[in-house]
Amino acid sequence: MSSKISVKGEESFDAVCEAKHPGRPRCPVAHQNILKAARELVEEGGFDCLTIEGIAARAGVGKTTVYRRWPNKASIVMDAFFEEVSSRTSFPDTGSAREDIRLQMRQFVAELNGPLGCKISLLLANGQFDEEMAEAFRARWIEPRRSEAQLVIKRGIERGEIRREVDVDVLVDALYGPVYFRLLGEHAPLTETFADTLVEIVMSGLEG
Amino acid sequence: MSSKISVKGEESFDAVCEAKHPGRPRCPVAHQNILKAARELVEEGGFDCLTIEGIAARAGVGKTTVYRRWPNKASIVMDAFFEEVSSRTSFPDTGSAREDIRLQMRQFVAELNGPLGCKISLLLANGQFDEEMAEAFRARWIEPRRSEAQLVIKRGIERGEIRREVDVDVLVDALYGPVYFRLLGEHAPLTETFADTLVEIVMSGLEG
Amino acid sequence: MSSKISVKGEESFDAVCEAKHPGRPRCPVAHQNILKAARELVEEGGFDCLTIEGIAARAGVGKTTVYRRWPNKASIVMDAFFEEVSSRTSFPDTGSAREDIRLQMRQFVAELNGPLGCKISLLLANGQFDEEMAEAFRARWIEPRRSEAQLVIKRGIERGEIRREVDVDVLVDALYGPVYFRLLGEHAPLTETFADTLVEIVMSGLEG
Amino acid sequence: MSSKISVKGEESFDAVCEAKHPGRPRCPVAHQNILKAARELVEEGGFDCLTIEGIAARAGVGKTTVYRRWPNKASIVMDAFFEEVSSRTSFPDTGSAREDIRLQMRQFVAELNGPLGCKISLLLANGQFDEEMAEAFRARWIEPRRSEAQLVIKRGIERGEIRREVDVDVLVDALYGPVYFRLLGEHAPLTETFADTLVEIVMSGLEG
DNA sequence: GTATAAACGAGACGGTACGTCAGGTCTTTCT
DNA sequence: AGAAAGACCTGACGTACCGTCTCGTTTATAC
């Protein structure tokens, strides 16, 4: 299942692909090749080795084919990185809210320590230069994770494990914010211990 | 007072300027003009309207003059933004650690809501594409603020207001991280209330 | 009556149109629309505003429909400009050869001073870049006029008004060449007086 | 000595080259290389193998260097073809006007039968699509030859060999026009005999 | 009637060249 | 010898058309 996030002035690929249009249908192989090329180029030489011409060349595709489908480099990157990633989220249920949260945070930290980490930081950074990108990143990455966390927290509140008055939104950011901060700032390591300690610090005092 | 952070392959401006060199001394006005031009350009058209050519043109200076003084765009930006900003930090002392922290956080949030906010987020973002930049940003912006916070927290610990076992580094990130996260993510507003609530959530349970 | 000039690898429109083929017959309206579109585009923005895509778009026709009927831009232009023009030639008979020739030349000059003039010069010019075009232009425009002139001259020779030894081909070019030259070179105006003077200069001394 | 014909929005090369400017002077080798590349490309593959990118590549020069010096393809071609050609004109003096003219025409025809021929026809043709080009071509090629011919004719008139009343401008075109016409029209060959016959036809009857 | 055949419009395809912009370097003259 | 100017090569940008190629649809003749 592909993206639901629309990108600037461009019908979604699926919409174009599946609908009964007149005209030659867009080649679905090209779509995959372009995204694959984009991923490879970023992996090989960093974010600014990523040129449209380079992508097109490696994908064995004309530049126009790229431009026909994506309005800018950023949205290619979004699609390239979130093709499969988006869906896999974690929603543990150990019976203890704090434990659930700790597991979630641990997994999140582990994820960011892997190959995904640098991509996420790049995407978050890129969003500062391109509101479109930022929007897409929020919708496809940040929000899904915030929702999960909110669910776990709300479950904790209902069970009476977490105090009723707690502002859930702020709590979520108190948990996730520091992780993103270390990811971007690189002023301190993103360890499992950090996750644990962070949960301890934030959650202590919130329990009913 | 100028930068202490060394930048790639370039003698510091002051060193060159003050020493008794043979040859024409570097024009000190050019230096200021270049930084001013950089600031203006970013303000007017965002970060990617910032070209070396543009800076040189607006500063009424040759491109070579720019390249002679800074090795890359990033370091110009650093100097441009941290000329005066760096020093003004806040170090309140109300007698209550939590209150001191709240004041610090409020001031920090206020600062980021002003014109500085977008610059900081841009710099933090830019660091993801340029390690040099990231290093400078950490040293000139992030660390000074972490140090302040650490001092306040340590004072709180010594006074017995905060539990001895608390990991100060993690605590600092637990306080600052969420702020940076909202600054960058823009998924929720950066209000004074947010600062207060955040301090409440994080600090409750840590007090001795 | 349509073109008899064969064009590269393409059955004539009429042949296809009138024959009893299976399959949908070529739409005759499209044919006219395409030629009309071509004429309009050239008139509006000159010869290099003439793109196949533009023609197709303005004619409300798919590009394939254009390509199916003409092998290249040049032959569209040929058909577009010579649809009606070709046939109207002048063949005066005043009794005097020199007078007939003068009338012919006057009419020719008048024609080239009208809207046709620039088209002819464009077509002649275009022929330098496209042998196909040149061939068609020769056959459809140049030769018919040369033939007329030859007829008038030969009649003059038979009547004893023009000397027997005169090389008719060269004489025809001596009359028409200068007119085309002024049309293309624009170094001097194409007036009726020019036609008269030219005939005077060329014909004097040729009369028996 | 280089061109006096100014070209759209561009200072002449010499002016820029010889003046005492600050800044790096334009590389004179590049100038020659570009023109040479242009000549070669036209010779190899005709006029529409002539792309700016191709010229730049073959000249070992950046596209910008080309665009900095010439405003369009046409003016490159003009410079490329008229670097040396322009000056060599023929001005015979046999004592007989008709003989002088015949020699001039023979030489002209011979010239056009050589490698220059196709270039001239291309340039004349090109002028139909680009007024700038046409202007330059008139000034650099057509007019010099018309002047020569006029001189020879006027000398003939003064010597009493040619009738006083003859319109010199028309006579010149009567001589040259047919040659250009056969060059462009290719409906008949451009032979020495043609030149002779043409002179015979045109000049007979004009002699005093 | 039901194939079969061809033309239709639409529009995607891989390409080439366009003219522009910025990069970072190099080479002048001027101060 | 630094400053300012400006030319140098490189390489990517985003656009316009090229001529070809599917598509799904329409309109004929031929079985």
Side-chain angles (χ1 to χ4, degrees):
Chain A
M1 184 62 41
S2 176
S3 163
K4 265 108 190 173
I5 300 301
S6 77
V7 251
K8 183 172 60 191
E10 191 60 23
E11 337 76 308
S12 96
F13 176 66
D14 291 349
V16 169
C17 217
E18 288 160 13
K20 294 289 176 189
H21 277 289
R24 177 173 172 175
R26 294 192 179 169
C27 170
V29 178
H31 194 88
Q32 290 311 313
N33 286 346
I34 290 167
L35 295 181
K36 184 153 159 278
R39 273 190 298 265
E40 287 171 7
L41 285 169
V42 169
E43 233 132 78
E44 285 167 21
F47 227 75
D48 47 346
C49 278
L50 196 71
T51 67
I52 300 275
E53 297 209 326
I55 293 173
R58 174 174 297 227
V61 142
K63 263 200 293 181
T64 39
T65 298
V66 179
Y67 281 113
R68 196 176 295 118
R69 294 162 183 236
W70 290 274
N72 51 52
K73 214 183 314 190
S75 50
I76 301 176
V77 174
M78 288 311 300
D79 280 355
F81 288 158
F82 286 116
E83 238 178 349
E84 56 233 301
V85 163
S86 294
S87 48
R88 43 174 164 100
T89 62
S90 124
F91 199 0
D93 190 355
T94 61
S96 149
R98 187 190 286 209
E99 201 53 31
D100 289 352
I101 289 169
R102 194 208 324 278
L103 287 176
Q104 241 180 6
M105 294 297 285
R106 276 190 179 194
Q107 199 216 306
F108 185 51
V109 162
E111 219 170 353
L112 294 186
N113 272 319
L116 196 62
C118 72
K119 290 171 189 169
I120 295 302
S121 63
L122 288 173
L123 289 169
L124 185 46
N126 222 273
Q128 304 309 306
F129 310 114
D130 184 339
E131 180 47 37
E132 203 87 43
M133 275 285 296
E135 183 60 48
F137 184 68
R138 269 196 293 280
R140 290 214 215 168
W141 177 264
I142 292 182
E143 285 306 340
R145 268 139 206 87
R146 278 174 60 84
S147 300
E148 285 171 45
Q150 284 179 336
L151 284 176
V152 172
I153 290 164
K154 280 173 183 161
R155 196 173 52 195
I157 291 173
E158 261 142 53
R159 285 197 205 127
E161 294 176 79
I162 298 174
R163 288 221 301 270
R164 194 133 242 123
E165 324 86 73
V166 166
D167 183 323
V168 179
D169 277 333
V170 177
L171 176 52
V172 169
D173 286 345
L175 290 164
Y176 278 80
V179 177
Y180 285 111
F181 184 37
R182 286 208 172 178
L183 178 69
L184 289 170
E186 291 180 291
H187 52 277
L190 252 187
T191 59
E192 192 169 75
T193 314
F194 170 67
D196 289 350
T197 312
L198 180 63
V199 173
E200 221 58 38
I201 286 177
V202 172
M203 297 306 296
S204 72
L206 303 183
E207 282 152 9
Chain B
M1 184 64 39
S2 176
S3 163
K4 265 107 191 171
I5 300 301
S6 77
V7 256
K8 184 173 57 190
E10 190 61 21
E11 334 79 306
S12 94
F13 174 65
D14 292 348
V16 170
C17 217
E18 288 159 13
K20 294 288 175 185
H21 276 292
R24 177 171 169 177
R26 292 192 179 172
C27 170
V29 179
H31 193 88
Q32 289 311 313
N33 286 348
I34 290 167
L35 295 182
K36 184 154 161 277
R39 273 190 299 265
E40 288 171 7
L41 285 169
V42 169
E43 234 131 77
E44 285 168 22
F47 225 75
D48 46 346
C49 279
L50 196 71
T51 67
I52 299 277
E53 298 207 327
I55 293 173
R58 175 175 293 230
V61 139
K63 267 200 290 182
T64 38
T65 300
V66 178
Y67 280 113
R68 196 175 296 118
R69 294 162 185 235
W70 289 274
N72 52 52
K73 212 183 320 191
S75 50
I76 301 176
V77 174
M78 288 313 299
D79 279 356
F81 288 157
F82 286 117
E83 237 177 349
E84 57 232 300
V85 162
S86 294
S87 48
R88 45 175 164 99
T89 62
S90 125
F91 198 1
D93 188 355
T94 62
S96 150
R98 189 191 283 208
E99 202 52 32
D100 290 352
I101 289 168
R102 194 208 323 277
L103 288 177
Q104 239 179 9
M105 294 296 286
R106 277 192 177 193
Q107 199 215 306
F108 185 51
V109 162
E111 218 171 351
L112 294 186
N113 270 321
L116 195 63
C118 72
K119 290 172 191 168
I120 295 301
S121 64
L122 288 173
L123 289 169
L124 184 47
N126 220 269
Q128 304 308 307
F129 308 114
D130 185 339
E131 182 46 40
E132 200 93 39
M133 276 288 294
E135 185 60 42
F137 184 69
R138 269 196 294 279
R140 289 214 215 168
W141 176 264
I142 292 182
E143 285 308 340
R145 269 141 204 85
R146 278 173 61 83
S147 299
E148 285 172 46
Q150 284 179 337
L151 284 176
V152 172
I153 291 164
K154 280 174 183 162
R155 197 174 51 195
I157 291 173
E158 261 143 51
R159 284 199 205 127
E161 293 176 80
I162 298 175
R163 288 221 302 269
R164 195 134 239 124
E165 325 84 76
V166 166
D167 183 323
V168 180
D169 277 333
V170 177
L171 176 51
V172 169
D173 286 345
L175 290 164
Y176 279 81
V179 178
Y180 284 111
F181 184 36
R182 286 210 172 177
L183 177 69
L184 289 170
E186 291 180 289
H187 52 278
L190 252 186
T191 60
E192 192 170 74
T193 314
F194 170 66
D196 290 349
T197 313
L198 180 63
V199 173
E200 220 59 40
I201 285 178
V202 173
M203 297 306 295
S204 72
L206 302 184
E207 283 152 8
Chain C
M1 184 62 41
S2 175
S3 161
K4 265 109 190 171
I5 302 301
S6 77
V7 256
K8 184 173 60 188
E10 189 61 20
E11 338 76 304
S12 95
F13 175 65
D14 292 349
V16 170
C17 215
E18 289 158 13
K20 297 287 179 189
H21 279 291
R24 177 174 173 175
R26 293 191 181 172
C27 169
V29 177
H31 195 87
Q32 289 311 312
N33 286 348
I34 290 167
L35 295 182
K36 182 151 160 282
R39 272 190 300 267
E40 288 171 7
L41 285 170
V42 169
E43 234 131 78
E44 284 168 21
F47 226 75
D48 46 346
C49 279
L50 195 72
T51 67
I52 299 277
E53 297 209 325
I55 293 172
R58 176 175 295 228
V61 140
K63 266 200 292 182
T64 38
T65 300
V66 178
Y67 280 112
R68 196 176 295 117
R69 294 161 185 238
W70 289 274
N72 50 52
K73 212 185 315 192
S75 50
I76 301 176
V77 174
M78 289 312 302
D79 280 357
F81 288 157
F82 287 116
E83 236 178 349
E84 57 234 300
V85 163
S86 293
S87 48
R88 46 173 162 101
T89 62
S90 124
F91 199 0
D93 190 354
T94 62
S96 150
R98 190 191 283 208
E99 202 51 33
D100 289 353
I101 289 169
R102 195 211 319 281
L103 287 177
Q104 238 178 13
M105 294 296 286
R106 276 190 178 194
Q107 199 216 304
F108 185 51
V109 162
E111 218 171 352
L112 294 186
N113 271 320
L116 195 62
C118 73
K119 288 171 189 167
I120 296 302
S121 64
L122 288 173
L123 289 169
L124 184 47
N126 221 271
Q128 304 308 306
F129 309 113
D130 185 338
E131 182 48 38
E132 203 91 41
M133 276 286 294
E135 184 60 48
F137 184 68
R138 270 195 294 279
R140 289 213 217 171
W141 177 263
I142 291 181
E143 286 307 340
R145 268 137 206 88
R146 276 172 62 82
S147 300
E148 284 173 44
Q150 284 179 335
L151 284 176
V152 173
I153 290 164
K154 281 175 183 161
R155 197 171 54 192
I157 290 173
E158 262 142 53
R159 287 198 204 125
E161 294 176 81
I162 297 175
R163 288 221 300 270
R164 192 130 245 122
E165 325 85 74
V166 166
D167 184 323
V168 179
D169 277 334
V170 177
L171 177 52
V172 169
D173 286 346
L175 289 164
Y176 278 80
V179 177
Y180 284 111
F181 183 37
R182 286 209 173 177
L183 178 69
L184 288 171
E186 290 180 293
H187 53 278
L190 253 186
T191 60
E192 193 170 72
T193 313
F194 170 65
D196 290 350
T197 313
L198 180 62
V199 173
E200 221 58 41
I201 285 177
V202 172
M203 296 308 294
S204 71
L206 302 184
E207 283 151 9
Chain D
M1 185 61 40
S2 174
S3 162
K4 266 109 193 171
I5 302 302
S6 76
V7 252
K8 184 173 58 191
E10 189 61 22
E11 338 78 306
S12 95
F13 174 66
D14 292 348
V16 170
C17 216
E18 288 159 14
K20 295 287 176 187
H21 277 291
R24 177 173 174 175
R26 292 192 180 170
C27 170
V29 179
H31 194 88
Q32 290 310 313
N33 287 348
I34 290 167
L35 295 182
K36 183 154 161 278
R39 274 189 298 266
E40 288 171 6
L41 285 169
V42 170
E43 233 131 78
E44 285 167 21
F47 225 76
D48 47 344
C49 280
L50 195 71
T51 67
I52 300 275
E53 297 209 324
I55 293 172
R58 177 175 294 228
V61 141
K63 265 199 292 181
T64 40
T65 299
V66 178
Y67 281 113
R68 195 177 297 118
R69 296 164 183 235
W70 288 275
N72 52 53
K73 214 182 319 191
S75 50
I76 302 177
V77 175
M78 287 313 298
D79 280 356
F81 288 157
F82 286 117
E83 235 177 351
E84 57 234 299
V85 163
S86 294
S87 48
R88 45 177 163 99
T89 62
S90 126
F91 198 3
D93 189 355
T94 62
S96 150
R98 188 190 285 209
E99 201 53 33
D100 289 352
I101 289 168
R102 195 210 319 280
L103 288 177
Q104 241 180 9
M105 294 297 285
R106 277 191 179 193
Q107 199 216 305
F108 185 52
V109 162
E111 219 172 349
L112 294 186
N113 270 321
L116 196 62
C118 72
K119 289 171 189 169
I120 295 302
S121 64
L122 288 172
L123 288 170
L124 185 47
N126 221 271
Q128 304 308 307
F129 310 115
D130 184 338
E131 181 48 37
E132 202 90 41
M133 277 287 295
E135 185 60 42
F137 183 68
R138 269 196 294 279
R140 289 211 216 171
W141 176 264
I142 292 181
E143 286 307 340
R145 271 140 203 84
R146 277 172 62 82
S147 300
E148 283 172 48
Q150 285 180 334
L151 284 176
V152 172
I153 290 164
K154 281 173 182 163
R155 197 171 53 193
I157 291 174
E158 261 141 54
R159 285 196 204 129
E161 294 176 81
I162 298 174
R163 288 220 302 269
R164 193 130 243 125
E165 325 84 74
V166 166
D167 184 323
V168 180
D169 277 333
V170 177
L171 176 52
V172 170
D173 286 346
L175 290 164
Y176 278 81
V179 178
Y180 284 111
F181 183 37
R182 285 209 173 177
L183 178 69
L184 289 170
E186 290 179 292
H187 52 277
L190 251 187
T191 59
E192 193 169 72
T193 313
F194 169 66
D196 290 349
T197 312
L198 180 63
V199 173
E200 222 58 42
I201 286 178
V202 172
M203 296 308 294
S204 72
L206 301 185
E207 282 153 9

